Amino acid sequence: MQVRVGAGDSLAVGRLTIELDAYRAHLADRALVLTPAQFDLLAYLVRNRDRVVTRDELAVAGRLEHMHSVDVTLSSLRRVLGAGFIRNVRNRGWIIEPDAVSS
């Protein structure tokens, strides 16, 4: 999986592009409508794409006060992105699936 960080602080993984400064994300040619928490969790997952991230890490990244909020935010983010982009690793956390993002 290739992640590119370029001018204007953007991240790209396969068909997913995140413009950090502009607070925008695109999947292929489709603009994603994300809440601030969804955007922050997605950016954190992409930045940490090579490892499983924990619920505690995601709570801090998304500025979420309750651990249940992480689950709710991830669930809604998965609906926006489609199946397979974010995989749960049981009893560990979540990770971006490189094959799902690239295809």
Side-chain angles (χ1 to χ4, degrees):
M1 169 175 55
Q2 183 181 22
V3 174
R4 299 175 305 275
V5 178
D9 289 330
S10 64
L11 302 169
V13 177
R15 299 175 297 134
L16 178 66
T17 303
I18 303 170
E19 299 173 51
L20 299 170
D21 291 344
Y23 238 67
R24 287 189 298 236
H26 291 84
L27 182 58
D29 294 330
R30 178 175 57 103
L32 301 177
V33 179
L34 303 173
T35 66
Q38 289 171 331
F39 184 90
D40 292 341
L41 293 190
L42 181 59
Y44 191 82
L45 284 164
V46 171
R47 281 189 179 120
N48 293 279
R49 68 206 170 276
D50 295 329
R51 65 182 188 86
V52 175
V53 296
T54 67
R55 180 179 279 114
D56 290 338
E57 289 178 84
L58 290 173
V60 171
R63 295 180 292 278
L64 301 168
E65 294 181 22
H66 305 286
M67 291 300 157
H68 179 70
S69 299
V70 172
D71 298 332
V72 171
T73 303
L74 279 172
S75 177
S76 62
L77 181 57
R78 286 168 138 174
R79 280 193 299 273
V80 171
L81 294 172
F85 277 73
I86 300 170
R87 179 174 59 92
N88 176 262
V89 179
R90 189 175 181 151
N91 297 321
R92 302 293 310 269
W94 293 267
I95 191 166
I96 291 286
E97 277 298 317
D99 295 334
V101 175
S102 299
S103 55

